Amino acid sequence: MFDLHRLRLLRELKHRGTLAAVASALSYAPSSVSQQLSQLEAEVGVRLLEPVGRRVRLTEQAEILVAHTEAVLERLERAETDIAASLADLTGTLRIASFQTAALALVPAALGLLRDQHPQLRVHVTQMEPEKALPALHARDFDLVLAEEYPGNPNLRPAELEQADLLDDPLHLALPTTAGAPDTHGPMAALRSLADHPWVMEPEGTAARHWAMTLCRTAGFEPDVRFETTDLLLHLRLVEQGHAAAFLPDLVWSGQPTTVTLRQLPRSQRTRRVFTVVRRSRSRHPAVQACRDALLQAVTLRSRQPT
């Protein structure tokens, strides 16, 4: 029998890419990780790692072993789910990752509901963009991720992950105070009227940035992106102070009155999809189901707030 702990280290290397990243994630010394994997090679009787420059990569045999390890861990996770379902009270820790605006607008209300309904459940929340949170969900760093999908930019849907919609979040063109009167001949004209203004956008490599750049280019101009941050509250502040134009979602106001001039976007670009993602092997876990229910209740409570 192969040692499950060492198999998990090999799987971690598959997901995290380097021995140093595995060591950091698990609070081990890199030398300890390397030693454990060497012992696993001895157990299996074949070479599992091969050097590539200063890094290592998994051999074909290691990839086979990781695939079987995934199946074993999935089965164990299903067993954990069945045990939790057999108990009267929810206990343990639920690990959530959420992007900023959902964390502001939905997560606090959901936490309140979970605290009232399941006081023994410990919930740990990390603010993290979906581009990083979804791979971390694969790696079992989180149990549930709040993610977003922009118009025309569908996310990958791996078979081992399960998505559930929360809400459609309206998107707007936010005008800086220095912009003057925008063109009123439709959404594209309003967008083109900001072609010469500075912009604030999310960093390169994010779905939001790809969507925003595509929208501007479709309108016929290359935006002058002077400010880059995933912090949409900073986007809002820069627009309020007249420093930049931006694309802002409704969730950024967390139910409060809007503070800048907004214009509609083209019809097919007016909403982003907000949803939860979990591993299928954990989707029936009572804590995951309770969290999803609480988030849906938080969406309902938000929709009842006066505008």
Side-chain angles (χ1 to χ4, degrees):
M1 295 292 291
F2 303 142
D3 184 274
L4 181 58
H5 172 67
R6 292 169 187 153
L7 289 172
R8 294 186 72 167
L9 288 178
L10 185 65
R11 175 193 172 275
E12 290 289 332
L13 182 59
K14 163 74 173 179
H15 284 279
R16 301 186 191 276
T18 67
L19 293 171
V22 174
S24 176
L26 302 180
S27 299
Y28 290 164
S31 59
S32 176
V33 174
S34 180
Q35 182 181 29
Q36 292 288 317
L37 292 176
S38 295
Q39 290 175 352
L40 180 61
E41 282 190 329
E43 288 177 1
V44 179
V46 298
R47 192 173 185 180
L48 299 177
L49 305 176
E50 54 189 13
V52 180
R54 293 188 173 183
R55 303 177 65 171
V56 294
R57 69 183 175 195
L58 276 62
T59 63
E60 179 183 352
Q61 292 71 34
E63 295 282 0
I64 293 171
L65 202 53
V66 167
H68 285 285
T69 302
E70 295 282 9
V72 170
L73 293 177
E74 180 178 330
R75 189 71 186 210
L76 290 173
E77 200 161 51
R78 291 185 187 278
E80 183 185 353
T81 294
D82 290 342
I83 291 171
S86 73
L87 301 175
D89 297 321
L90 279 182
T91 60
T93 299
L94 182 71
R95 302 160 301 167
I96 300 172
S98 174
F99 62 96
Q100 183 194 37
T101 47
L104 286 169
L106 302 177
V107 169
L111 289 175
L113 292 165
L114 287 171
R115 179 187 57 205
D116 294 341
Q117 297 166 8
H118 308 288
Q120 301 305 312
L121 179 64
R122 182 175 184 270
V123 184
H124 186 276
V125 180
T126 300
Q127 183 181 312
M128 186 179 292
E129 295 305 306
E131 288 80 11
K132 293 183 178 179
L134 291 173
L137 179 67
H138 268 290
R140 288 180 165 79
D141 290 343
F142 300 108
D143 302 303
L144 181 146
V145 168
L146 281 90
E148 58 187 348
E149 184 176 88
Y150 281 81
N153 291 271
N155 294 339
L156 294 175
R157 299 198 177 192
E160 62 271 24
L161 299 183
E162 176 189 284
Q163 299 184 7
D165 288 343
L166 275 177
L167 77 158
D168 288 330
D169 187 24
L171 297 164
H172 308 279
L173 173 63
L175 280 63
T177 55
T178 54
D183 195 316
T184 57
H185 292 84
M188 275 299 186
L191 184 55
R192 279 192 291 269
S193 69
L194 295 170
D196 295 328
H197 282 268
W199 286 79
V200 56
M201 291 185 182
E202 296 198 41
E204 292 280 0
T206 61
R209 177 62 171 267
H210 177 74
W211 168 77
M213 294 295 292
T214 300
L215 187 52
C216 290
R217 288 166 180 166
T218 301
F221 68 95
E222 190 73 15
D224 177 11
V225 182
R226 298 191 193 177
F227 311 99
E228 296 184 63
T229 175
T230 58
D231 184 348
L232 292 194
L233 293 180
L234 179 53
H235 287 220
L236 175 59
R237 185 58 54 86
L238 290 170
V239 177
E240 289 173 340
Q241 297 295 321
H243 297 298
F247 298 111
L248 293 176
D250 265 10
L251 285 182
V252 78
W253 286 281
S254 301
Q256 300 301 312
T258 57
T259 55
V260 295
T261 301
L262 302 177
R263 289 292 181 270
Q264 279 193 335
L265 294 173
R267 188 172 300 277
S268 63
Q269 305 292 323
R270 290 179 184 173
T271 60
R272 66 173 176 173
R273 175 174 163 258
V274 178
F275 54 97
T276 59
V277 191
V278 301
R279 293 183 300 281
R280 288 192 183 277
S281 57
R282 202 167 179 80
S283 63
R284 295 189 302 107
H285 194 287
V288 170
Q289 293 180 330
C291 183
R292 279 181 152 173
D293 289 343
L295 286 165
L296 286 171
Q297 291 179 62
V299 171
T300 300
L301 291 171
R302 181 180 177 275
S303 69
R304 292 174 180 170
Q305 292 176 342
T307 56

